[in-house]
């Protein structure tokens, strides 16, 4: 297979003919799901827990029940908001040997191949805790549910304080429970459908699942499993490096992922790529990987916004560097958690191109807070590294440095009751601890005075924090 | 009716204070602290570059004639391109860091290079706040002003030549 990007799947030679199962969900009577076809197929191939999030009436339950029917599964559909534990396991009864046994009701989970927990975000916390081991390890009361393969759940978008979306009863999922779902898939909304799909949905009728459509889905799952097994080492290694970088970049953007999530993301990247190839042999790896990333973030179930621009930026950078060697300084820079560390590594890596170096510096300047930002810019000028920047970023740095390297003289009249007046009092006390005989002390004093004059230090606490940030950053960069 | 007294007018307003900053040394004086330190307005050494107004108003051909008196421009040769090439080559020879802060020019700042080519190499490669050795020169934006000062960081001051 030809390489299409830095992250291109290479598959060991296979005897199977080219297979394209594109539209396998549509053949099941599920309209408008082409954008989530590959993550759904990936979840079916791996058997990992799947969570669907969507507004009411977006066919979450229909989707899962039709898939279960097409796969010929014995499945249970529970409304988690009404669920009692007895509904799941039956009624407990002491056995002859003293062990607890359960009188199995037809609705109990025993013997099910798939389980759907609908409205999981409306579930009582005690029930949520009991669902946890079922979703995570296919166990109930410590007993393995041997027949259970698929664990699916569905919920409305969680209601948060900032966003009153109308789903007052839909609570954000507990972080640990959300992290157990390998794939967290956002359902397409009405506006995402094409006009013809909208018309098809309007006229849709409840019809039985077509046998050939069911077989098509089963073949697509089998093909996906086969492709996952055949991925060659260079692709899996690239995918691992992609995950390592993207996790670091998302963390820098404020989206923290657990080590378990990094592992799940890696498996999802492989599975979604395999599913995309099973659906369409010409599927682009970068797009499939972005799909895997988009639907691997548990924050969606916790009501934490995921800015698309941050996701795309992290993805593009990680794709670009997926083939770089582990010893490459750019990988170390991108994976460094703190902006100061990234800046320090970037200044040391003199072979970075002007464009890359400028991008890293611009990001660091944007991410650093008052005090640390000024100390970093001073270091760029003092080390001469500013000469490696492009004109736009250098000018931005120069604007900051102007107020650090030269004395920003000002005279402001303030009411004594004003918070800024108290901030200045604190700042004056802090600056008076500096020794004017030390040249660097002037830099620190100028930087903080400039921040004050620009209204960026409005409380004594702001002044203290900026003073300490400057000192810490300056010390860190000078020691480096 | 009598106008109320101006003093009475603001009696309920909180008192105002003037917050002043004139550098760390000034602050130390305000606090009555003595360190025996000198008052430096700049961190590093400002170096001034200026272009004589008569030179600044020359065309690229005229500038080349002054800078390269022994070399005539051949017919069809692009004078601006030649001038930029000369500027770029000269910029590489200046013992300055690759990037410097640009500050407001002052006659008190020392002049280390007083030749027009050095001044061109600085003025045409400056933005409002920074000079970059690798920046493409621009006569149009560079000659909007005829003097500029660069602030040389302490680490690079020793590389500067003696004042000419």
């Amino acid at each position: 297979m030809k390489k299409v990007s830095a992250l291109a799947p290479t598959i060991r030679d296979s005897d199977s003919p080219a297979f394209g199962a594109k539209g396998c969900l549509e053949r099941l009577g599920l309209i408008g799901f082409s954008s989530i076809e590959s993550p759904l197929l990936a979840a079916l191939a791996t058997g990992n827990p799947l969570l669907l999030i969507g507004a009411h009436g977006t066919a979450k339950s229909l989707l899962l029940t039709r898939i279960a029917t097409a796969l010929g599964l014995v499945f249970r559909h529970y409304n988690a908001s009404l669920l009692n534990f007895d509904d799941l396991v039956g009624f407990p009864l002491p056995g002859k040997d003293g062990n607890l046994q359960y009188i199995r009701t037809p609705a109990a989970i025993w013997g099910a191949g798939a389980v759907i927990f609908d409205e999981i975000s409306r579930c009582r916390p005690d029930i949520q805790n009991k669902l946890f081991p079922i979703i995570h390890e296919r166990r109930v009361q410590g007993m393995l549910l041997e027949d259970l393969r698929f664990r699916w759940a569905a919920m409305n978008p969680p209601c948060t304080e900032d966003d009153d979306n109308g789903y007052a009863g839909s609570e954000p999922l507990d972080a640990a429970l959300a992290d157990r779902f390998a794939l967290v898939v956002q359902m397409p909304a009405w506006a995402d459908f094409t006009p013809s799909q909208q018309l098809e949905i309007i006229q849709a009728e409840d019809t039985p699942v077509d046998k050939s459509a069911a077989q098509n889905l089963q073949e697509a799952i089998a093909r996906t499993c086969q492709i996952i097994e055949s991925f060659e080492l260079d692709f899996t290694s690239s995918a691992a490096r992609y995950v390592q970088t993207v996790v670091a970049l998302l963390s820098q953007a404020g989206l923290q992922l657990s080590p378990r999530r990094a592992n799940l993301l890696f498996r999802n990247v492989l599975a979604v790529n395999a599913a995309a190839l099973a659906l369409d042999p010409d599927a682009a790896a970068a797009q499939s990987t972005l799909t895997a990333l988009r639907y691997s973030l548990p924050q969606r179930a916790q009501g934490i916004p995921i800015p698309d621009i941050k996701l795309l930026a992290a993805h593009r950078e990680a794709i670009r560097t997926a083939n770089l060697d582990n010893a490459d300084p750019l990988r170390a820079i991108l994976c460094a958690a703190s902006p100061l560390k990234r800046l320090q590594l970037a200044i040391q890596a003199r072979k970075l191109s002007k464009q890359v170096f400028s991008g890293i510096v611009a990001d660091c300047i944007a991410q650093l807070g008052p005090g640390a930002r000024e100390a970093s810019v001073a270091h760029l000028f003092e080390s001469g590294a500013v000469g490696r920047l492009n004109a736009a970023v250098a000018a931005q740095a120069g604007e900051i440095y102007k107020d650090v390297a030269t004395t920003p003289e000002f005279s402001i009249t303030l009411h004594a009751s004003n918070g800024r007046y108290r901030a200045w009092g604190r700042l004056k006390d802090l600056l008076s601890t500096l020794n004017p005989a030390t040249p660097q002390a002037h830099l620190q004093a100028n930087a903080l005075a400039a921040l004050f004059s620009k209204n960026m230090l409005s409380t004594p606490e702001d002044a203290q924090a900026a003073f300490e940030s400057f000192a810490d950053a300056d010390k860190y960069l000078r020691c480096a | 009716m009598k106008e109320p007294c101006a003093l009475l007018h603001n009696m309920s307003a909180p008192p105002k204070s003037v917050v002043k900053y004139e550098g760390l040394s000034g602050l130390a004086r305000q606090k009555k602290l003595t360190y025996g330190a000198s008052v430096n307005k700049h961190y590093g050494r400002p170096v001034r570059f200026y272009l004589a107004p008569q030179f600044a108003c020359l065309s690229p051909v005229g500038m080349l004639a002054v800078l390269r008196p022994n070399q005539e421009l051949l017919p069809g040769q692009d004078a601006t391109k030649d001038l930029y090439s000369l500027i770029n080559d000269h910029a590489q020879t200046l013992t300055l860091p690759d990037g410097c802060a640009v500050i407001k020019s002052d006659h008190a700042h020392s002049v280390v290079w007083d030749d027009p080519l050095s001044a061109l190499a600085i003025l045409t490669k400056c933005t409002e706040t920074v000079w970059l050795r690798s920046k493409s020169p621009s006569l149009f934006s560079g000659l909007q002003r005829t003097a500029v000062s660069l602030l040389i960081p302490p680490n690079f001051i020793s590389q500067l030549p003696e004042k000419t």
Side-chain angles (χ1 to χ4, degrees), chain B residues 40-79:
Chain B
N40 291 322
K41 275 182 76 79
H42 305 295
Y43 180 74
R45 178 172 161 192
V47 175
R48 185 165 183 262
F49 293 84
Y50 69 93
L51 213 51
Q54 303 92 308
F55 184 88
C57 62
L58 291 175
S59 67
V61 177
M63 286 182 182
L64 275 177
V66 174
L67 299 171
R68 252 179 8 189
N70 301 327
Q71 196 178 335
E72 275 189 30
L73 204 64
L74 298 170
Q77 212 169 337
D78 186 340

Side-chain angles (χ1 to χ4, degrees), chain A residues 354 405 410 412 414 416 429 446, chain B residues 15 17 19 21 31 35 43 134:
Chain A
K354 181 180 282 194
F410 60 81
I412 307 167
L414 292 170
D429 290 343
N446 290 345
Chain B
S17 292
V19 158
Y21 182 77
K31 282 255 170 188
Y35 292 93
Y43 180 74
S134 62

Side-chain angles (χ1 to χ4, degrees), chain A residues 371-372 426 430 444 448 462-474:
Chain A
R426 183 78 189 112
L430 291 166
Q444 188 170 2
L448 294 161
D462 289 349
Q464 177 87 35
F467 181 85
E468 286 168 4
S469 290
F470 188 101
D472 292 347
D474 186 56

Side-chain angles (χ1 to χ4, degrees), chain A residues 354 381-382 386-387 389 391 394-395 398-399 401 405-417 421 424 428-429 431-432 434-437 439-443 445-446 449 452, chain B residues 13-25 27-28 30-31 33 35 37-43 97-103 127 129-130 132 134-135 151 153-156:
Chain A
K354 181 180 282 194
F381 277 87
E382 278 190 64
V386 70
L389 294 171
E399 192 63 44
Y401 188 62
T406 59
T407 304
E409 294 181 0
F410 60 81
S411 175
I412 307 167
T413 304
L414 292 170
H415 282 297
S417 61
Y421 183 76
W424 178 250
K428 243 171 46 169
D429 290 343
L431 296 185
S432 66
L434 300 174
N435 182 357
Q440 283 85 0
H442 292 266
L443 285 181
N446 290 345
F452 177 81
Chain B
K16 283 181 182 175
S17 292
V18 176
V19 158
K20 218 172 172 183
Y21 182 77
E22 293 169 328
L24 181 59
S25 305
L27 212 59
Q30 280 179 40
K31 282 255 170 188
L33 300 170
Y35 292 93
S38 62
V39 180
N40 291 322
K41 275 182 76 79
H42 305 295
Y43 180 74
D98 291 338
C100 279
V102 172
I103 57 169
T127 69
T129 56
V130 74
L132 295 172
S134 62
K135 185 179 176 297
L151 188 58
N155 295 349
F156 294 90

